[in-house]
PDB file of all heavy atoms in Angstrom:
ATOM      1  N   THR A  97       4.499  -3.081  28.221  1.00 95.00           N
ATOM      2  CA  THR A  97       5.344  -3.731  29.225  1.00 95.00           C
ATOM      3  C   THR A  97       4.836  -3.370  30.605  1.00 95.00           C
ATOM      4  O   THR A  97       4.616  -2.198  30.907  1.00 95.00           O
ATOM      5  CB  THR A  97       6.813  -3.288  29.076  1.00 95.00           C
ATOM      6  OG1 THR A  97       7.255  -3.618  27.765  1.00 95.00           O
ATOM      7  CG2 THR A  97       7.695  -3.977  30.093  1.00 95.00           C
ATOM      8  N   LYS A  98       4.626  -4.378  31.409  1.00 95.00           N
ATOM      9  CA  LYS A  98       4.198  -4.205  32.805  1.00 95.00           C
ATOM     10  C   LYS A  98       5.273  -4.811  33.701  1.00 95.00           C
ATOM     11  O   LYS A  98       5.777  -5.899  33.427  1.00 95.00           O
ATOM     12  CB  LYS A  98       2.862  -4.912  33.073  1.00 95.00           C
ATOM     13  CG  LYS A  98       1.696  -4.366  32.290  1.00 95.00           C
ATOM     14  CD  LYS A  98       1.242  -3.060  32.866  1.00 95.00           C
ATOM     15  CE  LYS A  98      -0.029  -2.600  32.180  1.00 95.00           C
ATOM     16  NZ  LYS A  98      -0.637  -1.495  32.840  1.00 95.00           N
ATOM     17  N   THR A  99       5.573  -4.092  34.769  1.00 95.00           N
ATOM     18  CA  THR A  99       6.585  -4.567  35.713  1.00 95.00           C
ATOM     19  C   THR A  99       5.992  -4.594  37.110  1.00 95.00           C
ATOM     20  O   THR A  99       5.307  -3.663  37.523  1.00 95.00           O
ATOM     21  CB  THR A  99       7.820  -3.637  35.695  1.00 95.00           C
ATOM     22  OG1 THR A  99       8.300  -3.555  34.362  1.00 95.00           O
ATOM     23  CG2 THR A  99       8.913  -4.148  36.605  1.00 95.00           C
ATOM     24  N   SER A 100       6.265  -5.682  37.825  1.00 94.00           N
ATOM     25  CA  SER A 100       5.827  -5.807  39.203  1.00 94.00           C
ATOM     26  C   SER A 100       7.054  -6.054  40.077  1.00 94.00           C
ATOM     27  O   SER A 100       7.594  -7.170  40.097  1.00 94.00           O
ATOM     28  CB  SER A 100       4.844  -6.972  39.355  1.00 94.00           C
ATOM     29  OG  SER A 100       4.555  -7.188  40.721  1.00 94.00           O
ATOM     30  N   PRO A 101       7.494  -5.015  40.807  1.00 93.00           N
ATOM     31  CA  PRO A 101       8.640  -5.214  41.699  1.00 93.00           C
ATOM     32  C   PRO A 101       8.338  -6.228  42.807  1.00 93.00           C
ATOM     33  O   PRO A 101       9.213  -6.997  43.205  1.00 93.00           O
ATOM     34  CB  PRO A 101       8.895  -3.828  42.300  1.00 93.00           C
ATOM     35  CG  PRO A 101       8.172  -2.871  41.423  1.00 93.00           C
ATOM     36  CD  PRO A 101       7.051  -3.631  40.796  1.00 93.00           C
ATOM     37  N   GLU A 102       7.078  -6.239  43.260  1.00 94.00           N
ATOM     38  CA  GLU A 102       6.707  -7.165  44.333  1.00 94.00           C
ATOM     39  C   GLU A 102       6.851  -8.618  43.895  1.00 94.00           C
ATOM     40  O   GLU A 102       7.264  -9.478  44.679  1.00 94.00           O
ATOM     41  CB  GLU A 102       5.263  -6.922  44.806  1.00 94.00           C
ATOM     42  CG  GLU A 102       5.041  -5.601  45.513  1.00 94.00           C
ATOM     43  CD  GLU A 102       4.827  -4.447  44.524  1.00 94.00           C
ATOM     44  OE1 GLU A 102       4.636  -4.676  43.307  1.00 94.00           O
ATOM     45  OE2 GLU A 102       4.880  -3.292  44.981  1.00 94.00           O
ATOM     46  N   LEU A 103       6.470  -8.896  42.663  1.00 93.00           N
ATOM     47  CA  LEU A 103       6.549 -10.258  42.154  1.00 93.00           C
ATOM     48  C   LEU A 103       7.864 -10.524  41.412  1.00 93.00           C
ATOM     49  O   LEU A 103       8.117 -11.643  40.994  1.00 93.00           O
ATOM     50  CB  LEU A 103       5.377 -10.536  41.201  1.00 93.00           C
ATOM     51  CG  LEU A 103       3.990 -10.454  41.813  1.00 93.00           C
ATOM     52  CD1 LEU A 103       2.931 -10.636  40.734  1.00 93.00           C
ATOM     53  CD2 LEU A 103       3.822 -11.501  42.911  1.00 93.00           C
ATOM     54  N   ASP A 104       8.656  -9.463  41.251  1.00 94.00           N
ATOM     55  CA  ASP A 104       9.917  -9.554  40.524  1.00 94.00           C
ATOM     56  C   ASP A 104       9.675 -10.120  39.118  1.00 94.00           C
ATOM     57  O   ASP A 104      10.356 -11.036  38.677  1.00 94.00           O
ATOM     58  CB  ASP A 104      10.936 -10.400  41.282  1.00 94.00           C
ATOM     59  CG  ASP A 104      12.344 -10.261  40.705  1.00 94.00           C
ATOM     60  OD1 ASP A 104      12.643  -9.178  40.151  1.00 94.00           O
ATOM     61  OD2 ASP A 104      13.115 -11.238  40.784  1.00 94.00           O
ATOM     62  N   GLN A 105       8.651  -9.549  38.464  1.00 95.00           N
ATOM     63  CA  GLN A 105       8.285 -10.024  37.130  1.00 95.00           C
ATOM     64  C   GLN A 105       8.130  -8.841  36.177  1.00 95.00           C
ATOM     65  O   GLN A 105       7.716  -7.742  36.578  1.00 95.00           O
ATOM     66  CB  GLN A 105       6.951 -10.778  37.183  1.00 95.00           C
ATOM     67  CG  GLN A 105       7.013 -12.039  37.969  1.00 95.00           C
ATOM     68  CD  GLN A 105       6.515 -13.214  37.146  1.00 95.00           C
ATOM     69  OE1 GLN A 105       5.892 -13.035  36.119  1.00 95.00           O
ATOM     70  NE2 GLN A 105       6.808 -14.402  37.614  1.00 95.00           N
ATOM     71  N   ARG A 106       8.458  -9.103  34.968  1.00 95.00           N
ATOM     72  CA  ARG A 106       8.264  -8.126  33.895  1.00 95.00           C
ATOM     73  C   ARG A 106       7.639  -8.880  32.716  1.00 95.00           C
ATOM     74  O   ARG A 106       8.156  -9.895  32.273  1.00 95.00           O
ATOM     75  CB  ARG A 106       9.598  -7.527  33.487  1.00 95.00           C
ATOM     76  CG  ARG A 106       9.489  -6.555  32.354  1.00 95.00           C
ATOM     77  CD  ARG A 106      10.852  -6.030  32.002  1.00 95.00           C
ATOM     78  NE  ARG A 106      10.786  -5.349  30.724  1.00 95.00           N
ATOM     79  CZ  ARG A 106      11.667  -4.491  30.304  1.00 95.00           C
ATOM     80  NH1 ARG A 106      12.702  -4.206  31.062  1.00 95.00           N
ATOM     81  NH2 ARG A 106      11.536  -3.924  29.145  1.00 95.00           N
ATOM     82  N   ILE A 107       6.519  -8.353  32.245  1.00 95.00           N
ATOM     83  CA  ILE A 107       5.805  -9.004  31.146  1.00 95.00           C
ATOM     84  C   ILE A 107       5.655  -8.007  30.011  1.00 95.00           C
ATOM     85  O   ILE A 107       5.184  -6.883  30.207  1.00 95.00           O
ATOM     86  CB  ILE A 107       4.406  -9.497  31.603  1.00 95.00           C
ATOM     87  CG1 ILE A 107       4.553 -10.532  32.702  1.00 95.00           C
ATOM     88  CG2 ILE A 107       3.628 -10.067  30.420  1.00 95.00           C
ATOM     89  CD1 ILE A 107       3.254 -10.921  33.354  1.00 95.00           C
ATOM     90  N   THR A 108       6.061  -8.429  28.806  1.00 95.00           N
ATOM     91  CA  THR A 108       5.919  -7.609  27.607  1.00 95.00           C
ATOM     92  C   THR A 108       4.980  -8.334  26.655  1.00 95.00           C
ATOM     93  O   THR A 108       5.161  -9.511  26.357  1.00 95.00           O
ATOM     94  CB  THR A 108       7.278  -7.372  26.932  1.00 95.00           C
ATOM     95  OG1 THR A 108       8.145  -6.709  27.862  1.00 95.00           O
ATOM     96  CG2 THR A 108       7.131  -6.518  25.690  1.00 95.00           C
ATOM     97  N   THR A 109       3.973  -7.600  26.209  1.00 95.00           N
ATOM     98  CA  THR A 109       2.963  -8.168  25.314  1.00 95.00           C
ATOM     99  C   THR A 109       2.862  -7.306  24.066  1.00 95.00           C
ATOM    100  O   THR A 109       2.872  -6.081  24.153  1.00 95.00           O
ATOM    101  CB  THR A 109       1.588  -8.188  26.018  1.00 95.00           C
ATOM    102  OG1 THR A 109       1.716  -8.906  27.236  1.00 95.00           O
ATOM    103  CG2 THR A 109       0.538  -8.831  25.149  1.00 95.00           C
TER     104      THR A 109
END
Side-chain angles (χ1 to χ4, degrees):
T97 302
K98 296 285 187 169
T99 304
S100 173
E102 293 83 11
L103 298 175
D104 193 29
Q105 294 234 345
R106 178 181 167 161
I107 298 171
T108 301
T109 304

